[in-house]
Amino acid sequence: MKVLFFVEPHALRDGFSEFGSALLHMLPLARALQDREGCEARLYCNGALGDAVLKIGPEFWPLVLLPDASERRALTESAIPWGREGEALWEGLMTDPDAPPARLQRQMLLRLKREVFDYDAVVLWGGNAAVATVAEEHALPRLHLELASFRPPFPHALLIDPAGVNGGATTARTGIEAIARRMRPLPARALCDLMVRSGAVLPPPAPPRGPGAPPVALLPLQLSDDANLLFHSDLPSMGAFLEAAATPLLAAGWRVEIKPHPGAAIRGGEVWEAQERCLAAWTGTPGVTLLPEAMPAADMLARARAADLVVSNNSSVAFEAMLLGTRAVVLGRACFAPYGALPGLEETIARHTDAEWSAYWDRRARLAATWLLASAFVPAGAAAGALYDWLSAGTPPADAFAGLEARAWRAWPGAEALRAATLIGLGTEGAV
């Protein structure tokens, strides 16, 4: 088996080093597969990231494949500062195989396969129309990687999916009723205990709110150029999200806490300015608290656990809330929100004090979280083995339950006990 790890070589997002983080995740995976008997792995990246590989360790260098002279020239000529024009080109690369960046990368992939490394599987970070097209043309298995939907102090894990990431993942297209036929939900305490056993330091449950105190909703913002907004939401701006979420909450007497995205200042430019404009529009609004942009992770988790509700436009803070037992609503299509797993916002505002209603949706959210941890979110240390198992089985089907019994709870602490507690024989009826 020959596996190509494809690290985006373009400079459409402010330079040739933008995908350095993806490189750091993929390089050890390529090395681990290369060390397996019967498996060869190579990693394709641009020259700037190739230099980074040498600094990381020269022992990785034999894995690296670089653009040829004509490809380097084309990549340099297509480099563009990140702005609306660059964003449009990047959107084309993600979604349109006939867009100029996708056509260029398709040519690169075909040259590699024909002249350099006749790969029979591709691993990529995120989405890419060129990779999808070449994989489909040659009937190659491909696996998409992304960070799992939680951040430190939760454990480091990856989403591995045969169809895509974010709202394009198989998990986002799967219904909670289908999941219930295959798994039982872990209790809320067990989900938290699993995270703690995996190294997370979680805040204690918040004390009950005093009599007459209004309920609190936490609204985390996304970056304006995030694929989660651009491709997987009908509210493709922070302003539209806050109008859809904060306005009805305030009208119903809720307090609203808006959390700016900490990455906006790092990205700068239009991304930072878009967030600043959004925050300015809500500054001074009665019932609204604007939280600090930079906040320790522990403080942010404490806010999420103390809130009565987290509403997100696909932000992973909503999945962290699900793990902590806080109600979550997602106004978009997210990899961590299977169809029917979470209630809508209007229904939540109207019925959040109804104990029977709350128990019904709590169970659904716990079932979704259980299934995602068991099958889609793989601890980073086990990711290479999971990749190998997927790829050696042939073209991974776009079926979220394929091989579930064999791969459930891979490398999570107490895996065997978790399997016994949660797996139902395929075809056995469950209930949500």
Side-chain angles (χ1 to χ4, degrees):
M1 178 169 61
K2 294 184 176 182
V3 183
L4 178 68
F5 286 78
F6 187 79
V7 181
E8 297 282 0
H10 63 73
L12 302 180
R13 295 178 66 101
D14 277 339
F16 286 104
S17 299
E18 177 64 24
F19 285 85
S21 177
L23 174 82
L24 293 177
H25 288 289
M26 296 170 80
L27 189 60
L29 297 177
R31 177 62 181 269
L33 288 192
Q34 174 67 18
D35 290 342
R36 284 182 174 256
E37 185 176 356
C39 187
E40 292 182 63
R42 296 292 184 271
L43 183 142
Y44 181 76
C45 63
N46 61 42
L49 295 180
D51 289 343
V53 171
L54 280 173
K55 293 177 182 177
I56 293 168
E59 68 273 14
F60 291 106
W61 184 249
L63 303 177
V64 174
L65 302 176
L66 297 174
D68 66 14
S70 64
E71 292 166 353
R72 290 196 301 271
R73 183 164 53 252
L75 288 168
T76 301
E77 291 172 352
S78 64
I80 187 171
W82 188 238
R84 291 182 180 177
E85 186 178 354
E87 186 176 302
L89 289 170
W90 177 67
E91 289 186 37
L93 173 62
M94 295 274 284
T95 61
D96 182 4
D98 293 321
R103 289 201 305 270
L104 173 61
Q105 291 198 15
R106 180 176 178 274
Q107 293 169 6
M108 295 175 178
L109 287 159
L110 292 176
R111 178 190 68 83
L112 284 172
K113 184 166 178 58
R114 183 178 61 248
E115 302 176 8
V116 182
F117 183 63
D118 188 14
Y119 53 89
D120 43 38
V122 186
V123 178
L124 67 155
W125 192 268
N128 182 299
V131 174
T133 299
V134 170
E136 289 165 5
E137 290 173 345
H138 292 80
L140 304 177
R142 74 179 192 269
L143 288 174
H144 300 254
L145 304 180
E146 181 61 90
L147 292 175
S149 299
F150 40 80
R151 303 291 180 264
F154 288 99
H156 180 35
L158 298 177
L159 167 68
I160 302 176
D161 194 275
V165 297
N166 303 321
T170 55
T171 54
R173 309 173 192 177
T174 304
I176 197 69
E177 303 291 347
I179 297 170
R181 291 192 290 271
R182 293 158 171 86
M183 299 204 78
R184 304 179 188 88
L186 286 173
R189 177 63 181 269
L191 284 169
C192 287
D193 287 348
L194 174 60
M195 294 297 101
V196 171
R197 293 201 310 274
S198 301
V201 179
L202 303 183
R209 225 171 287 288
V216 176
L218 174 64
L219 277 57
L221 299 184
Q222 287 277 49
L223 297 174
S224 64
D225 63 351
D226 194 305
N228 270 307
L229 265 64
L230 299 176
F231 308 130
H232 303 296
S233 175
D234 297 326
L235 302 169
S237 74
M238 289 177 287
F241 163 63
L242 288 179
E243 183 64 31
T247 299
L249 286 163
L250 292 170
W254 288 60
R255 284 177 44 221
V256 170
E257 297 180 340
I258 298 175
K259 175 61 176 70
H261 196 291
I266 298 171
R267 295 287 279 278
E270 173 59 24
V271 174
W272 178 77
E273 292 172 4
Q275 179 163 280
E276 288 297 296
R277 290 193 300 269
C278 181
L279 296 174
W282 290 88
T283 299
T285 302
V288 172
T289 300
L290 300 182
L291 299 177
E293 182 176 293
M295 179 181 289
D299 292 352
M300 182 61 189
L301 281 185
R303 289 271 184 180
R305 195 162 200 180
D308 299 283
L309 174 66
V310 171
V311 185
S312 88
N313 198 6
N314 300 334
S315 167
S316 60
V317 176
F319 185 70
E320 295 174 351
M322 292 162 65
L323 294 174
L324 295 170
T326 300
R327 173 88 59 247
V329 167
V330 175
L331 302 185
R333 297 169 294 280
C335 68
F336 58 82
Y339 182 76
L342 304 177
L345 180 59
E346 182 178 354
E347 180 183 1
T348 300
I349 292 173
R351 301 192 62 184
H352 71 99
T353 59
D354 182 328
E356 184 176 348
W357 179 90
S358 294
Y360 173 86
W361 285 107
D362 284 347
R363 180 179 174 83
R364 286 181 167 239
R366 286 189 289 107
L367 178 57
T370 298
W371 175 63
L372 287 160
L373 292 173
S375 65
F377 297 155
V378 180
L387 285 174
Y388 180 83
D389 289 349
W390 268 113
L391 296 174
S392 60
T395 301
D399 175 1
F401 302 110
L404 176 63
E405 291 180 309
R407 60 189 172 89
W409 296 110
R410 184 184 190 101
W412 286 103
E416 288 306 314
L418 290 167
R419 287 165 59 83
T422 60
L423 282 180
I424 299 173
L426 295 182
T428 302
E429 289 296 321
V432 288

